[in-house]
Amino acid sequence: MAAPGTAGGRVLVTGGAGFIGTTLARELADSAEQWVVLDNLHPQVHPGSEPPADLPASVDLRVGDVTSADDLDAVVADLRPDTVVHLAAETGTAQSLSESTRHGMVNVVGTTQLLDALTRAGHVPSHFVLTSSRAVYGEGVWRNVDGSTFQPGLRTHAQLESGAWDHGDGAAHVPNTVLGTHPSPINVYGATKLAQEQILSAWTGSHDTRLSVLRLQNVYGPRQSLSNPYTGIVSLFSRLAREGRSIPLYEDGEITRDFVHIDDVVSALVAAIAHKPADHVRTVDVGSGVRTTIGDLAREVARYHDAPEPHVTGQYRDGDVRHASCDVEVTLRQLDWQPRVSLRDGVAGLQEWIATQLD
């Protein structure tokens, strides 16, 4: 078993030139026997299709696509990885509704192509690590004022158009947990992430190997794409505030999310990679454990830049959830891990990094 903070062996990271993969490589690549990244350098994430400048020199970057059997065969047959970290995915919630085939191809077919390449090579890695998403929970579990709970479905277009943002009078969202919240995705992106979990669980179970699934909340921080419109609201809010503009807030500004800093996500991945699960599948929630309204986030970003007060627009996104947060108590125990970056410190650090990129 690799020691904490080391990778050990041969590691394949799909989509490893992106936001999370680059940060993870800076932490672990030098400790691996081989650290191979397969990434198609999509221009939506990598302007000009250029690899990130801060990928460590020890990273062996192979430009290729997880939907291509030939690209995967070339990497898998050569590397025969001990550990596979599967990061490659399309991530835009709204984009998944208008480009469903693209999300299905990359997230679902890309996963099955990876497994087929391993089968053709006659090789079974000892450990898979998948970055999944809080989107698999959909709207999650809600509690009525009388204490009873229910799991609502999709907020319809008509409901959102009428400004009926919540589910039930006085009902409140309960933080998601692996054991307490049945996955019920309400958008195409979430459905494809759940499919990834199920496909990998079936394959690894049949091949007597191990799978770690990390359901990530809203990840933000340095090295986040500033050009990709689907990478999250923290970078969007930051750009607007830097320009001295008032940040627009969708719905009533009371949408909540769990914003988790990239350093905390990577430390969870490091812990998961270093310590394989004792059983077939280990699934954990990775977040800050703190629920934040988008209004509070916007005010924190605006305060940093001395920008105008954010304003509520009443706009909405079809397929979006009202509230998303998680309880990380089980994760703390299973991974011996702790989120450490506060929202205020994380936002300030992101603004400082953005300044180095744009000034």
Side-chain angles (χ1 to χ4, degrees), residues 97-118:
L97 296 176
S98 59
E99 298 186 50
S100 300
T101 299
R102 175 175 168 183
H103 277 69
M105 284 296 295
V106 175
N107 298 358
V108 180
V109 176
T111 301
T112 57
Q113 287 279 35
L114 169 62
L115 298 178
D116 286 348
L118 289 164

Side-chain angles (χ1 to χ4, degrees), residues 169-318:
D169 189 18
H173 181 262
V174 179
N176 294 318
T177 64
V178 169
L179 296 178
T181 311
H182 179 72
S184 184
I186 63 168
N187 53 58
V188 173
Y189 167 63
T192 63
K193 294 304 289 185
L194 183 58
Q196 282 186 323
E197 292 187 20
Q198 294 171 331
I199 289 166
L200 284 170
S201 178
W203 194 92
T204 55
S206 297
H207 290 79
D208 195 25
T209 186
R210 298 293 185 262
L211 170 64
S212 293
V213 177
L214 281 67
R215 291 176 176 167
L216 307 183
Q217 295 289 314
N218 286 57
V219 188
Y220 75 99
R223 287 177 289 280
Q224 191 166 14
S225 174
L226 299 179
S227 59
N228 185 355
Y230 301 103
T231 56
I233 63 173
V234 185
S235 59
L236 170 62
F237 285 4
S238 300
R239 292 199 305 273
L240 293 171
R242 275 178 56 86
E243 296 167 3
R245 297 161 62 186
S246 172
I247 298 170
L249 302 176
Y250 277 25
E251 300 186 14
D252 57 356
E254 296 301 311
I255 298 168
T256 61
R257 295 291 184 264
D258 181 332
F259 297 101
V260 58
H261 193 268
I262 182 62
D263 288 352
D264 288 332
V265 169
V266 165
S267 68
L269 279 165
V270 169
I273 291 168
H275 300 296
K276 288 188 292 188
D279 299 319
H280 164 217
V281 181
R282 171 180 58 201
T283 304
V284 295
D285 295 294
V286 176
S288 69
V290 177
R291 188 198 309 259
T292 302
T293 70
I294 61 166
D296 286 341
L297 169 68
R299 284 184 283 273
E300 184 64 37
V301 175
R303 181 198 62 79
Y304 182 93
H305 292 285
D306 197 24
E309 183 75 7
H311 64 284
V312 172
T313 68
Q315 293 172 276
Y316 59 85
R317 291 196 313 175
D318 288 309

Side-chain angles (χ1 to χ4, degrees), residues 47-59:
S49 298
E50 293 293 328
D54 50 1
L55 263 181
S58 55
V59 171

Side-chain angles (χ1 to χ4, degrees), residues 155-172:
R155 294 185 297 170
T156 65
H157 179 81
Q159 178 183 349
L160 294 172
E161 186 67 18
S162 70
W165 310 125
D166 287 311
H167 294 285
D169 189 18

